[in-house]
Amino acid sequence: MADISYRDAAEFIRNDLRLKTLPVAVKFLGDDLEFPEKTRRPYQFLGKRITICQAVTMARLYGWTVGLTKEDIICVPALLAFGLSGAEDPGGSLTSLFCEINFHQDRAQAHSEVQSMSRFANNEFQALLLAPLGKGLFDPDVVACYGNPAQIMRLTQAWTFKRGNRVKGLLGGKVECSEYLIAPLKTESPRIAIPGMGDRIFSMTQDDEMVFSIPGRDLSDLLEGLQQAGNKIGARYPVTFYQNFEPVFPKQYKELAQQLELF
């Protein structure tokens, strides 16, 4: 990726789309993990284990830099999906869990969904680092933005302006953190996600919020797309309502207007 000011990029995205929360930079760390200064580790800083989606909220809403290892995370499905559980067969354990909580009526269906999910193998990475993109603390593997459907529309327009291909979403309504955090890195392509139950219960994600995430190296293309996509017809957010029309009122209004010789 070409040299880019993450602070300027984050400010432009947030101002252009009027986002309520901050764009989030995400980094996956290996054995040589090293957290930036002032990184908050939930188990140490709060004395609690949290969900990954809570860490995303802390970054996008509080502006915190959050570091997560296995000891910081309490969400079992996420530990399995992110390869941090130590389970001998993480996919099988996730399949069994989906059946136990009645998200599937039989094991074959649950297995099929789990196989389609973006997941890490055991110990593929050791830690997850999240921070507001504007802090510019590291080159992100993934950049995620929360927004309403119209804001996400503009991000997809920006992407297709530069790349020509439409943005995919692999939706299941559960463990969606794997879709908006893992998938862009694994597939090297953007993703749209509808946050799942965990996001809404634990991280206070609102009913109107969706997620658009991209590989970090594609950030400059996204910025160019936001600047240019649809600019000849005034495409922007908020979408401008069309006002060049004459309203039609019920006949009673028309009759009164005629009596008063208004027009």
Side-chain angles (χ1 to χ4, degrees):
M1 184 174 65
D3 290 340
I4 186 171
S5 165
Y6 292 122
R7 179 177 179 177
D8 291 346
E11 184 175 356
F12 174 77
I13 293 171
R14 195 176 188 196
N15 289 343
D16 187 68
L17 298 177
R18 304 190 187 185
L19 299 179
K20 291 193 296 184
T21 63
L22 303 168
V24 176
V26 183
K27 190 78 173 176
F28 295 97
L29 304 175
D31 292 330
D32 57 345
L33 67 91
E34 184 176 347
F35 292 119
E37 187 180 357
K38 297 183 180 180
T39 297
R40 288 179 167 94
R41 297 281 308 282
Y43 191 62
Q44 297 172 358
F45 184 72
L46 300 173
K48 299 177 176 68
R49 293 182 173 89
I50 66 170
T51 63
I52 291 178
C53 54
Q54 279 180 277
V56 175
T57 295
M58 291 172 181
R60 73 185 182 99
L61 191 60
Y62 294 174
W64 288 3
T65 300
V66 183
L68 300 175
T69 65
K70 178 180 178 179
E71 70 174 357
D72 296 293
I73 302 171
I74 200 169
C75 180
V76 174
L79 286 166
L80 291 166
F82 281 72
L84 296 172
S85 68
E88 184 176 339
D89 179 13
S93 295
L94 198 53
T95 296
S96 297
L97 179 62
F98 283 173
C99 291
E100 286 290 329
I101 60 179
N102 208 32
F103 268 138
H104 282 286
Q105 58 186 344
D106 62 55
R107 188 173 180 84
Q109 288 184 343
H111 175 74
S112 178
E113 180 179 11
V114 170
Q115 290 300 109
S116 72
M117 293 170 60
S118 297
R119 295 184 287 123
F120 282 119
N122 279 342
N123 301 315
E124 194 169 341
F125 80 103
Q126 301 298 319
L128 181 60
L129 178 62
L130 307 102
L133 176 66
K135 284 189 175 181
L137 296 176
F138 51 85
D139 292 328
D141 293 324
V142 174
V143 174
C145 296
Y146 279 63
N148 63 40
Q151 291 165 328
I152 301 301
M153 172 199 71
R154 280 297 293 157
L155 288 165
T156 59
Q157 289 173 345
W159 178 265
T160 55
F161 174 84
K162 285 295 293 182
R163 299 301 180 90
N165 55 310
R166 291 201 159 205
V167 179
K168 295 181 179 180
L170 195 65
L171 311 177
K174 63 190 85 70
V175 202
E176 294 301 317
C177 54
S178 70
E179 186 64 16
Y180 59 77
L181 297 179
I182 298 176
L185 179 64
K186 286 280 192 178
T187 66
E188 299 183 344
S189 61
R191 278 292 188 272
I192 291 175
I194 299 175
M197 295 290 290
D199 279 84
R200 302 181 190 283
I201 295 170
F202 301 118
S203 66
M204 289 64 178
T205 300
Q206 299 300 296
D207 286 352
D208 66 338
E209 289 185 303
M210 302 175 66
V211 191
F212 180 90
S213 55
I214 60 168
R217 67 183 186 182
D218 295 326
L219 182 59
S220 57
D221 282 352
L222 185 72
L223 296 174
E224 183 179 347
L226 276 176
Q227 292 171 332
Q228 299 192 42
N231 61 8
K232 290 186 178 180
I233 58 169
R236 62 181 180 179
Y237 181 84
V239 177
T240 305
F241 298 125
Y242 182 76
Q243 287 293 293
N244 187 17
F245 64 92
E246 183 175 280
V248 176
F249 287 87
K251 66 177 183 178
Q252 292 87 348
Y253 291 76
K254 294 180 180 179
E255 291 170 354
L256 179 59
Q258 289 173 353
Q259 294 174 19
L260 299 174
E261 297 182 347
L262 294 177
F263 37 77

